[in-house]
Amino acid sequence: MNISKLDNAIKNFLEKKETNKIYYEEKWNERKERKEFYQTFTKEKLLTISKETFLEYIGKLWSMLIWGNKQYVVNKLIEDNGFDKLKEELVELLYGKTSLEKRWNSFLKSVKGLGPASMSELLTYVNPQEYVIFNKTTILCFTYLDIPNMPKYNYQYTGKKYVDICNIAKKISKELKKIGEQDYDLLAVDYFLWDEVLPYVESKENRQTSKKVIEPKTISNLESISLHDEIKEKIETIGKLLGFESSSEVKITTGAIVDVVWEARIGNMGKAIYVFEVQSKGSIDSLILNLKKAQSNPAVQAVVAVSDESQLSKIIKESTGVIEEKSLRTWDIEDVVNVHDSLVRAHESINKLSLVPESF
Protein backbone atom coordinates (compact mmCIF):
# COMPACT_ATOMS: atom_id res chain seq x y z
CA MET A 1 0.00 0.00 0.00
CA ASN A 2 1.19 3.50 -0.84
CA ILE A 3 1.25 5.07 2.63
CA SER A 4 1.94 8.52 1.21
CA LYS A 5 -1.25 8.45 -0.88
CA LEU A 6 -3.23 7.09 2.06
CA ASP A 7 -1.92 9.70 4.50
CA ASN A 8 -2.70 12.49 2.05
CA ALA A 9 -6.24 11.22 1.55
CA ILE A 10 -6.78 10.89 5.31
CA LYS A 11 -5.49 14.43 5.86
CA ASN A 12 -7.95 15.80 3.29
CA PHE A 13 -10.74 13.67 4.77
CA LEU A 14 -10.11 15.13 8.22
CA GLU A 15 -10.14 18.69 6.85
CA LYS A 16 -13.43 18.03 5.07
CA LYS A 17 -14.93 16.64 8.27
CA GLU A 18 -14.05 19.82 10.14
CA THR A 19 -15.06 22.34 7.47
CA ASN A 20 -18.25 20.63 6.24
CA LYS A 21 -19.68 18.96 9.33
CA ILE A 22 -23.29 18.93 8.11
CA TYR A 23 -22.41 17.06 4.93
CA TYR A 24 -20.23 14.59 6.82
CA GLU A 25 -22.82 13.91 9.53
CA GLU A 26 -25.59 13.43 6.98
CA LYS A 27 -23.66 10.85 4.99
CA TRP A 28 -22.36 9.08 8.09
CA ASN A 29 -25.82 8.95 9.69
CA GLU A 30 -27.18 7.33 6.54
CA ARG A 31 -24.65 4.52 6.98
CA LYS A 32 -25.52 4.16 10.67
CA GLU A 33 -29.21 3.88 9.83
CA ARG A 34 -28.52 1.19 7.23
CA LYS A 35 -26.39 -0.74 9.68
CA GLU A 36 -29.08 -0.52 12.36
CA PHE A 37 -31.77 -1.67 9.93
CA TYR A 38 -29.91 -4.77 8.81
CA GLN A 39 -28.81 -5.66 12.33
CA THR A 40 -32.46 -6.01 13.35
CA PHE A 41 -32.48 -9.19 11.26
CA THR A 42 -31.33 -12.18 13.25
CA LYS A 43 -30.68 -15.63 11.83
CA GLU A 44 -34.14 -16.75 12.95
CA LYS A 45 -35.88 -13.65 11.58
CA LEU A 46 -34.24 -13.99 8.19
CA LEU A 47 -35.31 -17.64 7.89
CA THR A 48 -38.97 -16.71 8.49
CA ILE A 49 -39.01 -13.45 6.54
CA SER A 50 -41.97 -12.81 4.22
CA LYS A 51 -41.56 -12.00 0.55
CA GLU A 52 -42.75 -8.45 1.21
CA THR A 53 -40.13 -7.86 3.90
CA PHE A 54 -37.51 -9.61 1.79
CA LEU A 55 -38.21 -7.08 -0.95
CA GLU A 56 -37.35 -4.28 1.46
CA TYR A 57 -34.33 -6.20 2.78
CA ILE A 58 -32.79 -6.58 -0.68
CA GLY A 59 -34.22 -3.40 -2.19
CA LYS A 60 -32.47 -1.14 0.33
CA LEU A 61 -29.00 -2.30 -0.73
CA TRP A 62 -26.81 0.23 -2.51
CA SER A 63 -26.04 -2.50 -5.05
CA MET A 64 -29.72 -2.36 -6.07
CA LEU A 65 -29.62 1.35 -6.90
CA ILE A 66 -29.13 0.67 -10.59
CA TRP A 67 -32.62 -0.84 -10.83
CA GLY A 68 -35.74 1.29 -10.84
CA ASN A 69 -38.08 -1.70 -10.60
CA LYS A 70 -36.72 -3.60 -7.60
CA GLN A 71 -39.84 -5.75 -7.42
CA TYR A 72 -38.91 -7.34 -10.75
CA VAL A 73 -35.33 -7.95 -9.62
CA VAL A 74 -36.36 -9.58 -6.34
CA ASN A 75 -39.05 -11.70 -8.02
CA LYS A 76 -36.43 -12.97 -10.46
CA LEU A 77 -34.07 -13.69 -7.58
CA ILE A 78 -36.72 -15.79 -5.84
CA GLU A 79 -37.76 -17.49 -9.08
CA ASP A 80 -34.21 -18.48 -10.00
CA ASN A 81 -33.21 -19.81 -6.58
CA GLY A 82 -36.35 -20.74 -4.66
CA PHE A 83 -37.34 -18.62 -1.67
CA ASP A 84 -36.52 -21.12 1.08
CA LYS A 85 -33.15 -22.01 -0.42
CA LEU A 86 -32.32 -18.34 -0.91
CA LYS A 87 -33.00 -17.55 2.75
CA GLU A 88 -31.02 -20.58 3.93
CA GLU A 89 -28.03 -19.63 1.78
CA LEU A 90 -28.14 -16.05 3.05
CA VAL A 91 -28.21 -17.22 6.65
CA GLU A 92 -25.22 -19.48 6.06
CA LEU A 93 -23.29 -16.68 4.38
CA LEU A 94 -24.04 -14.10 7.09
CA TYR A 95 -24.11 -16.23 10.23
CA GLY A 96 -22.43 -19.54 9.33
CA LYS A 97 -19.64 -21.03 11.44
CA THR A 98 -17.34 -22.16 8.64
CA SER A 99 -14.57 -19.89 7.37
CA LEU A 100 -15.48 -16.74 5.49
CA GLU A 101 -13.64 -18.01 2.43
CA LYS A 102 -15.74 -21.21 2.29
CA ARG A 103 -19.02 -19.43 2.96
CA TRP A 104 -18.28 -16.86 0.26
CA ASN A 105 -17.35 -19.42 -2.39
CA SER A 106 -20.31 -21.65 -1.53
CA PHE A 107 -22.79 -18.77 -1.85
CA LEU A 108 -21.35 -17.61 -5.17
CA LYS A 109 -21.66 -21.14 -6.51
CA SER A 110 -25.15 -21.81 -5.17
CA VAL A 111 -27.05 -18.55 -5.62
CA LYS A 112 -27.85 -16.80 -8.88
CA GLY A 113 -28.45 -13.06 -8.98
CA LEU A 114 -26.59 -11.82 -5.90
CA GLY A 115 -22.93 -11.12 -6.60
CA PRO A 116 -19.93 -9.89 -4.62
CA ALA A 117 -21.23 -6.32 -4.21
CA SER A 118 -24.51 -7.42 -2.62
CA MET A 119 -22.94 -10.23 -0.61
CA SER A 120 -20.25 -8.03 0.89
CA GLU A 121 -22.67 -5.18 1.57
CA LEU A 122 -24.87 -7.48 3.64
CA LEU A 123 -21.84 -8.90 5.45
CA THR A 124 -20.64 -5.37 6.24
CA TYR A 125 -23.96 -4.32 7.74
CA VAL A 126 -24.13 -7.48 9.86
CA ASN A 127 -20.53 -7.26 11.13
CA PRO A 128 -18.77 -4.03 10.13
CA GLN A 129 -15.80 -4.80 12.37
CA GLU A 130 -14.83 -7.75 10.18
CA TYR A 131 -16.23 -7.21 6.69
CA VAL A 132 -15.95 -4.46 4.10
CA ILE A 133 -17.95 -3.73 0.95
CA PHE A 134 -16.27 -5.39 -2.03
CA ASN A 135 -17.33 -3.71 -5.25
CA LYS A 136 -15.93 -1.78 -8.20
CA THR A 137 -15.34 1.29 -6.06
CA THR A 138 -13.29 -0.73 -3.55
CA ILE A 139 -11.15 -2.17 -6.32
CA LEU A 140 -10.59 1.19 -7.99
CA CYS A 141 -9.62 2.84 -4.71
CA PHE A 142 -7.31 0.03 -3.64
CA THR A 143 -5.67 0.14 -7.06
CA TYR A 144 -5.13 3.89 -6.66
CA LEU A 145 -3.45 3.18 -3.30
CA ASP A 146 -1.06 0.87 -5.19
CA ILE A 147 -2.40 -2.31 -3.62
CA PRO A 148 -1.48 -5.06 -6.12
CA ASN A 149 -3.44 -7.94 -7.64
CA MET A 150 -6.87 -6.38 -7.59
CA PRO A 151 -9.51 -8.40 -9.48
CA LYS A 152 -10.82 -7.25 -12.84
CA TYR A 153 -13.41 -9.90 -13.65
CA ASN A 154 -16.02 -11.47 -11.39
CA TYR A 155 -14.42 -14.91 -11.42
CA GLN A 156 -11.48 -13.31 -9.60
CA TYR A 157 -13.70 -12.16 -6.72
CA THR A 158 -13.02 -15.33 -4.74
CA GLY A 159 -13.42 -15.99 -1.04
CA LYS A 160 -9.67 -15.87 -0.59
CA LYS A 161 -9.49 -12.48 -2.30
CA TYR A 162 -12.34 -11.15 -0.15
CA VAL A 163 -10.47 -12.18 3.01
CA ASP A 164 -7.44 -10.27 1.70
CA ILE A 165 -9.60 -7.22 0.94
CA CYS A 166 -11.05 -7.22 4.46
CA ASN A 167 -7.57 -7.43 5.99
CA ILE A 168 -6.41 -4.45 3.92
CA ALA A 169 -9.52 -2.51 4.95
CA LYS A 170 -8.71 -3.20 8.61
CA LYS A 171 -5.29 -1.61 8.12
CA ILE A 172 -6.96 1.48 6.65
CA SER A 173 -9.40 1.46 9.58
CA LYS A 174 -6.50 1.58 12.06
CA GLU A 175 -5.07 4.62 10.28
CA LEU A 176 -8.46 6.34 10.28
CA LYS A 177 -8.93 5.72 14.00
CA LYS A 178 -5.84 7.81 14.65
CA ILE A 179 -7.59 10.97 13.44
CA GLY A 180 -10.45 11.08 15.94
CA GLU A 181 -12.73 9.49 18.49
CA GLN A 182 -15.23 8.09 15.96
CA ASP A 183 -15.52 4.32 15.67
CA TYR A 184 -14.05 3.85 12.22
CA ASP A 185 -15.29 0.37 11.43
CA LEU A 186 -15.12 -1.08 7.91
CA LEU A 187 -18.36 0.62 6.92
CA ALA A 188 -16.58 3.89 7.74
CA VAL A 189 -13.68 2.71 5.57
CA ASP A 190 -16.14 2.34 2.69
CA TYR A 191 -17.34 5.90 3.30
CA PHE A 192 -13.75 7.15 3.31
CA LEU A 193 -12.98 5.34 0.05
CA TRP A 194 -16.14 6.58 -1.65
CA ASP A 195 -15.99 10.16 -0.46
CA GLU A 196 -12.27 10.88 -0.45
CA VAL A 197 -10.28 8.33 -2.48
CA LEU A 198 -12.65 7.78 -5.42
CA PRO A 199 -12.37 11.41 -6.62
CA TYR A 200 -8.62 10.86 -7.01
CA VAL A 201 -9.34 7.70 -9.01
CA GLU A 202 -11.68 9.57 -11.32
CA SER A 203 -9.36 12.54 -11.79
CA LYS A 204 -8.14 13.24 -15.32
CA GLU A 205 -4.52 12.63 -14.36
CA ASN A 206 -5.20 9.22 -12.86
CA ARG A 207 -7.43 8.09 -15.73
CA GLN A 208 -4.56 8.69 -18.11
CA THR A 209 -2.29 6.23 -16.30
CA SER A 210 -2.03 2.79 -17.85
CA LYS A 211 -3.62 -0.18 -16.13
CA LYS A 212 -2.44 -3.74 -16.25
CA VAL A 213 -5.07 -5.91 -17.90
CA ILE A 214 -5.41 -9.66 -17.63
CA GLU A 215 -6.10 -10.72 -21.19
CA PRO A 216 -8.69 -13.44 -21.70
CA LYS A 217 -6.27 -15.47 -23.83
CA THR A 218 -4.02 -16.08 -20.80
CA ILE A 219 -6.66 -17.69 -18.60
CA SER A 220 -7.44 -21.34 -17.93
CA ASN A 221 -10.39 -23.28 -19.37
CA LEU A 222 -12.33 -23.02 -16.10
CA GLU A 223 -11.68 -19.29 -15.88
CA SER A 224 -12.66 -18.95 -19.52
CA ILE A 225 -16.08 -20.46 -18.78
CA SER A 226 -16.51 -18.07 -15.85
CA LEU A 227 -15.47 -15.10 -17.97
CA HIS A 228 -17.84 -16.15 -20.75
CA ASP A 229 -20.76 -16.27 -18.31
CA GLU A 230 -19.81 -12.95 -16.75
CA ILE A 231 -19.57 -11.09 -20.07
CA LYS A 232 -22.85 -12.66 -21.14
CA GLU A 233 -24.51 -11.39 -17.94
CA LYS A 234 -23.03 -7.91 -18.42
CA ILE A 235 -24.36 -7.68 -21.99
CA GLU A 236 -27.79 -8.79 -20.76
CA THR A 237 -27.67 -6.13 -18.03
CA ILE A 238 -26.53 -3.43 -20.47
CA GLY A 239 -29.52 -4.25 -22.67
CA LYS A 240 -31.93 -3.93 -19.74
CA LEU A 241 -30.40 -0.66 -18.60
CA LEU A 242 -30.78 0.69 -22.15
CA GLY A 243 -34.46 -0.24 -22.17
CA PHE A 244 -34.37 -3.39 -24.34
CA GLU A 245 -36.10 -6.64 -23.53
CA SER A 246 -32.86 -8.46 -22.81
CA SER A 247 -32.48 -12.21 -22.30
CA SER A 248 -29.73 -14.82 -22.32
CA GLU A 249 -29.62 -18.34 -23.77
CA VAL A 250 -32.31 -17.62 -26.37
CA LYS A 251 -33.39 -19.91 -29.20
CA ILE A 252 -33.27 -17.47 -32.08
CA THR A 253 -34.03 -19.93 -34.86
CA THR A 254 -33.97 -23.68 -35.49
CA GLY A 255 -30.75 -25.14 -34.15
CA ALA A 256 -29.37 -21.86 -32.81
CA ILE A 257 -29.34 -20.87 -29.14
CA VAL A 258 -27.44 -17.60 -28.78
CA ASP A 259 -25.85 -16.03 -25.71
CA VAL A 260 -27.83 -12.79 -25.49
CA VAL A 261 -30.69 -11.17 -27.38
CA TRP A 262 -31.86 -7.56 -27.18
CA GLU A 263 -35.39 -6.92 -28.45
CA ALA A 264 -37.06 -3.60 -29.21
CA ARG A 265 -40.78 -3.66 -29.97
CA ILE A 266 -41.97 -1.21 -32.59
CA GLY A 267 -45.60 -0.51 -31.73
CA ASN A 268 -47.79 -3.25 -33.18
CA MET A 269 -45.56 -3.64 -36.24
CA GLY A 270 -43.15 -6.19 -34.79
CA LYS A 271 -39.73 -6.04 -33.22
CA ALA A 272 -36.06 -5.45 -33.96
CA ILE A 273 -33.62 -8.03 -32.60
CA TYR A 274 -29.89 -7.79 -31.90
CA VAL A 275 -27.96 -11.00 -31.28
CA PHE A 276 -24.75 -11.37 -29.25
CA GLU A 277 -22.35 -14.31 -29.11
CA VAL A 278 -19.45 -14.29 -26.63
CA GLN A 279 -16.12 -16.02 -27.27
CA SER A 280 -13.56 -16.03 -24.45
CA LYS A 281 -11.30 -18.87 -25.60
CA GLY A 282 -11.01 -21.74 -28.06
CA SER A 283 -12.60 -22.45 -31.44
CA ILE A 284 -14.69 -19.72 -33.07
CA ASP A 285 -16.51 -22.10 -35.44
CA SER A 286 -19.60 -22.45 -33.25
CA LEU A 287 -19.83 -18.67 -32.78
CA ILE A 288 -19.74 -18.06 -36.53
CA LEU A 289 -22.28 -20.82 -37.15
CA ASN A 290 -24.68 -19.46 -34.53
CA LEU A 291 -24.45 -15.93 -35.88
CA LYS A 292 -25.02 -17.20 -39.43
CA LYS A 293 -28.14 -19.08 -38.32
CA ALA A 294 -29.36 -16.02 -36.41
CA GLN A 295 -29.23 -13.99 -39.60
CA SER A 296 -31.92 -16.22 -41.08
CA ASN A 297 -34.41 -14.63 -38.66
CA PRO A 298 -35.80 -11.61 -40.56
CA ALA A 299 -36.25 -9.62 -37.34
CA VAL A 300 -32.50 -9.73 -36.60
CA GLN A 301 -31.01 -6.35 -37.45
CA ALA A 302 -27.41 -7.10 -36.46
CA VAL A 303 -25.31 -9.91 -35.03
CA VAL A 304 -22.49 -9.06 -32.64
CA ALA A 305 -19.38 -11.12 -31.96
CA VAL A 306 -17.91 -10.38 -28.53
CA SER A 307 -14.32 -11.36 -27.72
CA ASP A 308 -10.82 -10.00 -27.14
CA GLU A 309 -8.92 -8.11 -29.81
CA SER A 310 -6.99 -11.06 -31.21
CA GLN A 311 -10.05 -13.30 -31.41
CA LEU A 312 -12.13 -10.59 -33.07
CA SER A 313 -9.56 -10.31 -35.86
CA LYS A 314 -9.88 -14.05 -36.49
CA ILE A 315 -13.67 -13.87 -36.38
CA ILE A 316 -13.77 -11.09 -38.97
CA LYS A 317 -11.39 -13.00 -41.24
CA GLU A 318 -13.05 -16.42 -40.94
CA SER A 319 -16.61 -15.11 -41.19
CA THR A 320 -15.97 -13.43 -44.55
CA GLY A 321 -18.35 -14.97 -47.08
CA VAL A 322 -20.21 -16.83 -44.32
CA ILE A 323 -21.90 -14.00 -42.41
CA GLU A 324 -23.33 -10.98 -44.19
CA GLU A 325 -20.70 -8.31 -43.64
CA LYS A 326 -23.20 -5.46 -43.40
CA SER A 327 -24.91 -6.94 -40.35
CA LEU A 328 -21.85 -8.25 -38.46
CA ARG A 329 -20.60 -6.16 -35.56
CA THR A 330 -17.70 -6.79 -33.17
CA TRP A 331 -17.42 -5.75 -29.52
CA ASP A 332 -14.24 -6.00 -27.45
CA ILE A 333 -14.69 -7.60 -24.03
CA GLU A 334 -12.82 -4.70 -22.42
CA ASP A 335 -15.35 -2.28 -23.90
CA VAL A 336 -18.24 -4.40 -22.62
CA VAL A 337 -16.85 -4.21 -19.08
CA ASN A 338 -16.29 -0.45 -19.32
CA VAL A 339 -19.74 0.23 -20.79
CA HIS A 340 -21.38 -1.93 -18.12
CA ASP A 341 -19.56 -0.19 -15.27
CA SER A 342 -20.28 3.28 -16.69
CA LEU A 343 -23.98 2.54 -17.14
CA VAL A 344 -24.23 1.11 -13.64
CA ARG A 345 -22.62 4.23 -12.17
CA ALA A 346 -24.90 6.48 -14.24
CA HIS A 347 -28.06 4.66 -13.13
CA GLU A 348 -26.93 4.66 -9.50
CA SER A 349 -26.39 8.42 -9.65
CA ILE A 350 -29.72 9.11 -11.38
CA ASN A 351 -31.71 6.83 -9.09
CA LYS A 352 -30.24 8.58 -6.04
CA LEU A 353 -32.10 11.70 -7.20
CA SER A 354 -35.43 9.89 -6.60
CA LEU A 355 -37.00 11.55 -9.62
CA VAL A 356 -39.76 8.93 -9.62
CA PRO A 357 -41.41 7.18 -6.65
CA GLU A 358 -39.58 4.10 -5.39
CA SER A 359 -41.00 1.17 -7.35
CA PHE A 360 -40.77 -1.68 -4.88
Side-chain angles (χ1 to χ4, degrees), residues 230-352:
E230 176 185 346
I231 298 302
K232 183 173 66 176
E233 290 172 6
K234 288 186 185 298
I235 294 172
E236 182 180 2
T237 299
I238 290 170
K240 290 176 180 177
L241 293 176
L242 291 176
F244 289 98
E245 294 180 21
S246 183
S247 306
S248 61
E249 296 297 317
V250 178
K251 183 177 180 180
I252 193 68
T253 189
T254 303
I257 297 178
V258 296
D259 285 331
V260 182
V261 165
W262 293 355
E263 294 186 10
R265 296 193 176 276
I266 307 172
N268 60 0
M269 297 173 61
K271 55 188 177 182
I273 297 176
Y274 305 91
V275 172
F276 300 81
E277 275 285 286
V278 180
Q279 183 72 14
S280 57
K281 190 175 183 179
S283 172
I284 62 176
D285 292 345
S286 61
L287 176 144
I288 293 174
L289 181 59
N290 264 3
L291 293 183
K292 176 178 173 59
K293 290 180 178 179
Q295 285 187 324
S296 66
N297 185 325
V300 172
Q301 304 300 302
V303 293
V304 185
V306 184
S307 192
D308 64 273
E309 186 177 347
S310 62
Q311 287 280 81
L312 289 176
S313 297
K314 295 178 183 177
I315 291 168
I316 293 172
K317 181 179 179 180
E318 296 187 24
S319 64
T320 302
V322 180
I323 299 176
E324 291 181 18
E325 185 176 351
K326 64 179 182 180
S327 64
L328 176 64
R329 310 287 191 275
T330 58
W331 200 1
D332 192 288
I333 282 176
E334 294 297 317
D335 288 338
V336 173
V337 173
N338 291 334
V339 169
H340 173 271
D341 292 346
S342 297
L343 274 175
V344 166
R345 289 291 303 279
H347 278 74
E348 286 176 347
S349 180
I350 292 170
N351 288 336
K352 281 181 181 178

